[in-house]
Amino acid sequence: QVQLVESGGGLVQAGGSLRLSCAASGRTFSSYTMSWFRQAPGKEREFVAAITWNGGNTYYADSVKGRFTISRDNAKSTVYLQMNSLKPEDTAIYYCAVAKYAGSILYTRTSNYENWGQGTQVTVSS
């Protein structure tokens, strides 16, 4: 079992930046793909970005490509999401998650993940 704690959310103006962190504890963190998802009010949880166990490969939703960067530090058991050029439509609760299975697949479906964090609110004002 992995425990995940997200932080770094807040209120920012459009065009601004935030850096989210997700600290993991529990079972081995470094063998699993990690991802960020987000959920806006009244909407389903959607995929944002994923990173393989060694950071060698990443994948992004089209809506954030070129603006967001996912990274990880396995020595610190932490995954990050650098968000630049934020837009009001980026407003949501952001969650990190650990893939169910070890390996290098960049899953984008919520069903392939477990051990979700409690989320951190990101609000972008226009």
Side-chain angles (χ1 to χ4, degrees):
Q1 194 81 350
V2 176
Q3 291 76 45
L4 302 172
V5 178
E6 300 97 335
S7 62
L11 173 63
V12 64
Q13 288 187 334
S17 298
L18 284 174
R19 188 192 194 205
L20 306 184
S21 298
C22 172
S25 61
R27 67 169 163 84
T28 303
F29 164 87
S30 58
S31 301
Y32 296 82
T33 290
M34 296 288 296
S35 285
W36 288 94
F37 288 76
R38 66 187 182 187
Q39 188 166 17
K43 295 187 177 181
E44 292 187 353
R45 192 168 297 188
E46 65 174 2
F47 170 79
V48 174
I51 187 167
T52 50
W53 65 275
N54 63 351
N57 285 293
T58 58
Y59 185 74
Y60 299 90
D62 288 342
S63 58
V64 306
K65 200 172 296 182
R67 300 188 297 121
F68 290 10
T69 302
I70 189 171
S71 61
R72 67 190 294 164
D73 184 341
N74 285 341
K76 296 181 179 180
S77 297
T78 301
V79 63
Y80 305 97
L81 186 68
Q82 178 66 44
M83 306 186 295
N84 298 328
S85 302
L86 282 161
K87 304 175 181 180
E89 50 263 44
D90 294 318
T91 295
I93 299 175
Y94 284 70
Y95 301 90
C96 64
V98 184
K100 287 183 179 178
Y101 309 107
S104 299
I105 297 176
L106 294 165
Y107 303 104
T108 61
R109 295 185 176 184
T110 57
S111 58
N112 293 124
Y113 290 87
E114 60 184 6
N115 302 123
W116 298 83
Q118 84 290 348
T120 185
Q121 176 71 47
V122 171
T123 303
V124 184
S125 63
S126 58

